[in-house]
Amino acid sequence: MELNRRTVIAGAAAAGLAATALGGTAHATGGRKPVKELFGKLADGTKVYRWSLENGGTRMKVLSWGGVVQSLEIPDRKGRYANVSLGFDNIEDYVAKTPYFGALIGRYGNRIAKGQFTLDGKSYQLSVNDGANSLHGGAQGFDKRVWDVEPFTKGSDVGLHLHYTSADGEMGYPGTLKVKVTYTLTRHGDWRIDYEATTTKATVVNLTSHVYWNLAGEGSGTIENHELKIAAGRYTPTDSGLIPTGELAKVSSTPFDFRKAKPVGRDIRDGHPQQILAQGYDHNWVLDKGITAKPEHVATLCDPSSGRTLKIATVEPGLQFYSGNFLDGTLTGTGGRTYRQGDALCLETQHFPDSPNHPSFPSTVLRPGQTYKTTTVHTFGA
């Protein structure tokens, strides 16, 4: 019988089982003030801090470097904890090697063709860092910045306010962009992300989170047996540079059809031309709901072996599903094991890639006097 997460936590607490580190047993917790500790120093001496949060049975560690979620621990169906987010145990690897593990992404999540766009008749050249294209904000995106972090407790919730000001012209983007991102752990153990931004000049913005998920536990092996469901009847095919062609293609009768839950690996080797280009899945799904005022459930990920589940709700119109195609065995994670191709996946809530160059896509333009706002909620179960 599958138990819901609150039943697992309550049952463990009733049995008097104490929570421990990885492999320990879940217990019900109240919201406690986040704890700050030094994580490391950058080459110039800048200190990077780590914040530990716990609420509702979810444990999370966040770095001031890139707003990185270094670890996120949740219980399985038997109440045993595992860290389900890929990451490193030192700042040096985050600086030199990370493929955006757990990071906040900006100013623009995903790709912009040739790092170029035109807005109000003026052309802009962005930092190019992915072949001929700009990826995730450029060579020094928000994932490589030190954020100001302010902890909070509010009622039964705990969390962090993260602040960063991106200067006019940074990575080629116009306007001084003031960004506030709030990570909240609710009393039920949900992880909510609220993004806000304002600008001094017309610009483009597309913020997201780049957690690599493995619900069996980081370093435990492939996610191809994870079952995934996405509420999307279309996706955006790409060219060889993974830039959208502009088409909104139907998922029906293709490996991209996740409207009913299926194992990630079931169709991953079907040889569809789009899979060959991406070496797996690395595409934006066009969510059926479109843009909404409040977060709506759009995706469910389940690991049958542990019973852990992740449900994602968002206001965004798109979801980038990346199947960890470029993990190559050269990175060693927090658990001391190497990460190989397909050892994790990403589910990035967002506007569509390269939207500034596709007028038919939902707009990512932000103007002075407007406030960019978007929310994504992660709900965990077992």
Side-chain angles (χ1 to χ4, degrees):
M1 178 180 68
E2 181 175 327
L3 302 177
N4 66 45
R5 184 158 181 266
R6 295 174 198 175
T7 302
V8 169
I9 294 172
L17 299 173
T20 62
L22 179 63
T25 305
H27 72 294
T29 64
R32 292 181 284 180
K33 185 177 180 180
V35 177
K36 178 183 179 181
E37 63 183 323
L38 181 66
F39 183 70
K41 294 182 180 180
L42 304 180
D44 65 0
T46 300
K47 294 179 179 180
V48 174
Y49 293 98
R50 178 169 66 183
W51 297 85
S52 298
L53 300 81
E54 183 174 356
N55 203 10
T58 297
R59 307 167 182 164
M60 185 164 65
K61 294 183 178 180
V62 177
L63 307 182
S64 56
W65 171 262
V68 163
V69 175
Q70 188 213 10
S71 70
L72 196 154
E73 298 182 21
I74 56 174
D76 66 7
R77 61 167 63 93
K78 294 183 179 179
R80 298 172 299 193
Y81 274 91
N83 172 21
V84 298
S85 172
L86 271 57
F88 297 120
D89 63 3
N90 63 88
I91 189 58
E92 291 78 15
D93 282 348
Y94 279 108
V95 172
K97 302 178 181 180
T98 183
Y100 307 100
F101 283 157
L104 283 174
I105 302 298
R107 287 190 189 187
Y108 198 97
N110 221 307
R111 294 171 174 86
I112 294 181
K114 299 181 180 179
Q116 298 174 350
F117 69 94
T118 299
L119 179 59
D120 295 340
K122 185 175 181 179
S123 296
Y124 295 92
Q125 177 62 58
L126 308 175
S127 166
V128 171
N129 62 327
D130 183 52
N133 305 315
S134 183
L135 174 66
H136 294 332
Q140 297 292 321
F142 290 0
D143 60 294
K144 297 177 180 67
R145 307 291 180 174
V146 176
W147 292 64
D148 293 326
V149 182
E150 175 190 358
F152 71 87
T153 58
K154 183 179 181 181
S156 57
D157 295 340
V158 300
L160 304 171
H161 297 303
L162 299 100
H163 300 268
Y164 177 70
T165 298
S166 176
D168 183 15
E170 184 176 280
M171 296 295 103
Y173 287 91
T176 297
L177 192 77
K178 291 188 176 181
V179 183
K180 176 183 177 182
V181 179
T182 301
Y183 290 169
T184 302
L185 286 185
T186 73
R187 66 187 181 92
H188 298 304
D190 299 344
W191 173 36
R192 178 183 174 114
I193 312 176
D194 292 287
Y195 307 82
E196 296 183 22
T198 58
T199 184
T200 59
K201 296 179 181 177
T203 191
V204 293
V205 185
N206 189 28
L207 307 182
T208 191
S209 171
H210 210 293
V211 172
Y212 283 70
W213 301 101
N214 185 324
L215 297 184
E218 67 82 31
S220 65
T222 183
I223 46 78
E224 289 194 4
N225 292 327
H226 280 38
E227 295 178 355
L228 177 63
K229 182 178 181 180
I230 304 174
R234 299 191 179 196
Y235 75 106
T236 51
T238 70
D239 63 17
S240 59
L242 302 183
I243 297 294
T245 63
E247 179 187 6
L248 305 183
K250 293 182 179 180
V251 301
S252 180
S253 301
T254 77
F256 295 85
D257 192 350
F258 284 89
R259 290 174 295 178
K260 293 182 179 179
K262 68 177 181 181
V264 168
R266 192 182 80 180
D267 303 323
I268 204 168
R269 295 173 178 81
D270 273 17
H272 189 284
Q274 284 292 308
Q275 291 177 303
I276 293 172
L277 288 176
Q279 300 183 34
Y281 297 111
D282 193 1
H283 294 78
N284 167 66
W285 268 252
V286 179
L287 299 173
D288 292 339
K289 71 172 187 63
I291 300 172
T292 48
K294 295 182 179 180
E296 293 188 11
H297 176 225
V298 296
T300 301
L301 182 68
C302 175
D303 170 39
S305 64
S306 66
R308 294 187 185 93
T309 61
L310 163 64
K311 293 183 178 180
I312 294 179
T314 187
V315 303
E316 288 293 299
L319 180 75
Q320 183 82 8
F321 164 36
Y322 167 56
S323 53
N325 313 327
F326 302 108
L327 298 173
D328 60 4
T330 62
L331 303 178
T332 301
T334 50
R337 297 176 65 84
T338 57
Y339 299 145
R340 302 194 66 85
Q341 186 179 53
D343 279 358
L345 61 82
C346 302
L347 298 168
E348 306 155 59
T349 56
Q350 58 174 27
H351 271 53
F352 303 168
D354 201 33
S355 289
N357 294 309
H358 293 275
S360 63
F361 287 1
S363 175
T364 55
V365 174
L366 179 69
R367 298 186 180 279
Q370 299 176 334
T371 300
Y372 171 97
K373 289 187 177 182
T374 183
T375 299
T376 293
V377 181
H378 306 79
T379 299
F380 306 103

